Amino acid sequence: MALIVEKFGGSSLANTEKLRNAAGIAASDYRKENQVVVVVSAQGDATDHLIAQAEAIGRRVSPREMDVLLSTGEQASMALMAMMLTGMGVPAVSLCGWQAGIHTDAQHGVARIDRIDTRRIRAELDQNRVVVVAGFQGIAPSGDITTIGRGGSDTTAVALAAALEADVCRIYTDVDGVYSADPRVIKNAVRHYEIDYDEMLELASQGAQVLHNRSVEMAKRFGVQLEVKSSFINGVGTRVREVVMEKRSVSGVARDQNVALITIEGLRDQPGNIWRLFSALTEQKINVDIILQPPAAGQRTSITFSVPRESLDHAVEMLTGSQSGLSYESVSVDDRVCKISIVGAGMASDYGVASRMFEALYRAGVNVRCVTTSEIKISVIVSEEDSDRGFIAVHDAFF
Ligand code: ASP
Ligand code: MG
């Protein structure tokens, strides 16, 4: 008997037929004498629809009420999943985040899971039930409902697997594993049988849509056996694990289209100015990714950095409001850009990876706007109109 946590994403639950298929997977694991915890996302684009409804009311809705609203997507899913399982003759019970003991901090919309009190889940498992838990949500110390960030159901699943010391955590999705690039865009992408946590984390953080990056981080920290599988094709999928024997120099190419560039011109070139700028951004909880600062010309310098698109308005508002304090001349933005990254754990010991990437971009006629590197990653920012061409060219250079 094993304890299995299995998570079904929105696309695997989008209609009654798909819901039945997902329930069938859980039912068959249950019938093999396993204990099964099912984590569900909202069906299809239910979360997007809920967000659109809130936005129709006004831009600055209360984060607390937003979480109450968004958590209903998963709540509907979990009830339907439990009904479906029961209809198949499998005893099942659904639990919201708070009922499942998922305690988070109070940051609505981006809450972090602090701890999980597994008593209720254990008690239900002991009663031989499949436990269906709503992903993406928890409860704040105040007792209010929180959500943990878009795509967060993966993180719920891994957190539950860690807390319950599950034997495996399976993430069911609409692709049959982790590919060298999004197989929905790059037709000749290759599937990996295994990938290590660090590579997976970089790929997820750089915009590969397959796993929520915090779920990978947590899986690594707690040594959770993580598998990505298709809910439609029966196959082995991809295992995410600590060490992969053969380090590839490049294991994947990711594209992040949720990027905007901000350039500040005429920033006074003096100690402390950059610190003031970035601490102001941090205070506003604006996540800065790539930073580029050319050498100063005279007394003034410029700086370019990237932020997620949804933070752009907020960032510009803040910057304009503190123009005199930060002492700069002008600010300009460009949200028609994207980031293309290559990731590979073997990159550090392989020469020429960067030049191969840049050559591929050059041959495709793509201009590189900014570059940033880490030990296992190289990212470039390119214009949106070069996005597809650049993505394909970089993938073709390595696969
Ligand atoms: N339903 C949430 C979202 O769309 C959480 C998830 O699917 O993981 O972001
Ligand atoms: Mg997802």
Side-chain angles (χ1 to χ4, degrees):
M1 187 179 77
L3 200 168
I4 304 173
V5 174
E6 42 198 41
K7 178 254 170 180
F8 294 94
S11 55
S12 301
L13 303 168
N15 55 38
T16 310
E17 196 192 323
K18 290 182 175 171
L19 199 76
R20 180 172 294 116
N21 172 67
I25 294 173
S28 113
D29 286 329
Y30 175 81
R31 291 191 179 115
K32 288 178 201 144
E33 313 267 293
N34 297 301
Q35 293 188 308
V36 180
V37 174
V38 176
V39 175
V40 290
S41 288
Q43 291 185 282
D45 339 309
T47 308
D48 293 330
H49 289 301
L50 292 169
I51 292 173
Q53 278 180 288
E55 282 176 351
I57 294 174
R59 270 193 70 232
R60 295 223 181 248
V61 294
S62 132
R64 179 193 183 276
E65 300 309 331
M66 195 68 180
D67 276 356
V68 175
L69 180 69
L70 294 191
S71 65
T72 62
E74 273 69 15
Q75 186 167 340
S77 258
M78 75 183 200
L80 292 169
M81 175 59 86
M83 290 174 193
M84 191 63 92
L85 284 163
T86 311
M88 291 173 167
V90 174
V93 60
S94 67
L95 300 175
C96 287
W98 65 269
Q99 294 172 302
I102 301 175
H103 294 270
T104 70
D105 64 18
Q107 289 291 331
H108 287 289
V110 288
R112 297 253 157 191
I113 299 174
D114 286 333
R115 68 190 165 86
I116 300 184
D117 178 345
T118 57
R119 276 175 294 180
R120 176 74 189 269
I121 296 181
R122 291 254 185 233
E124 299 292 352
L125 290 172
D126 288 345
Q127 297 292 312
N128 262 325
R129 296 188 180 114
V130 169
V131 184
V132 185
V133 179
F136 173 59
Q137 58 177 264
I139 184 172
S142 61
D144 283 339
I145 294 170
T146 51
T147 66
I148 64 171
R150 295 304 308 270
S153 297
D154 297 338
T155 299
T156 304
V158 173
L160 283 170
L164 292 163
E165 296 178 9
D167 296 283
V168 61
C169 179
R170 297 191 179 131
I171 307 286
Y172 284 95
T173 175
D174 56 354
V175 292
D176 61 344
V178 178
Y179 279 75
S180 56
D182 187 343
R184 287 164 291 206
V185 185
I186 304 288
K187 295 300 162 212
N188 57 340
V190 295
R191 183 162 58 88
H192 297 310
Y193 288 94
E194 49 181 32
I195 187 162
D196 71 30
Y197 290 123
D198 291 330
E199 287 178 311
M200 190 62 240
L201 183 58
E202 280 287 12
L203 281 174
S205 309
Q206 299 311 320
Q209 305 256 315
V210 52
L211 283 174
H212 196 224
N213 55 359
R214 277 159 54 195
S215 73
V216 185
E217 211 170 41
M218 200 182 290
K220 176 177 170 157
R221 185 147 16 101
F222 294 98
V224 172
Q225 289 291 319
L226 195 56
E227 293 176 11
V228 178
K229 291 166 92 85
S230 162
S231 48
F232 307 114
I233 307 160
N234 198 359
V236 288
T238 301
R239 283 167 202 266
V240 188
R241 51 184 3 167
E242 186 58 56
V243 203
V244 173
M245 292 296 282
E246 184 83 55
K247 293 257 188 269
R248 290 170 288 251
S249 60
V250 174
S251 59
V253 185
R255 172 169 64 171
D256 186 355
Q257 288 169 299
N258 181 20
V259 183
L261 285 181
I262 298 180
T263 299
I264 294 182
E265 219 88 56
L267 189 66
R268 195 184 291 282
D269 189 29
Q270 69 189 29
N273 252 358
I274 297 222
W275 163 70
R276 261 188 289 282
L277 170 64
F278 287 101
S279 60
L281 290 161
T282 308
E283 233 165 74
Q284 298 295 315
K285 300 207 158 36
I286 295 164
N287 201 352
V288 173
D289 181 24
I290 293 186
I291 302 173
L292 190 80
Q293 192 191 18
Q299 304 289 295
R300 300 268 169 182
T301 183
S302 72
I303 190 160
T304 298
F305 54 91
S306 69
V307 298
R309 277 187 204 168
E310 68 268 12
S311 306
L312 183 60
D313 291 349
H314 185 182
V316 170
E317 212 173 281
M318 186 285 286
L319 290 166
T320 334
S322 39
Q323 181 161 11
S324 55
L326 293 172
S327 176
Y328 67 89
E329 280 156 10
S330 67
V331 55
S332 60
V333 301
D334 187 353
D335 62 358
R336 299 188 40 81
V337 294
C338 80
K339 181 170 67 169
I340 298 170
S341 309
I342 56 175
V343 170
M347 195 181 282
S349 56
D350 191 359
Y351 297 98
V353 175
S355 73
R356 203 141 124 220
M357 179 186 198
F358 299 149
E359 182 183 358
L361 289 165
Y362 157 69
R363 293 201 184 280
V366 174
N367 189 33
V368 174
R369 310 262 303 263
C370 308
V371 184
T372 160
T373 65
S374 80
E375 199 148 321
I376 68 165
K377 174 201 83 182
I378 301 170
S379 300
V380 297
I381 300 258
V382 304
S383 298
E384 201 161 73
E385 66 263 24
D386 294 335
S387 172
D388 285 347
R389 241 173 334 125
F391 192 20
I392 293 168
V394 171
H395 185 271
D396 280 350
F398 293 98
F399 295 94

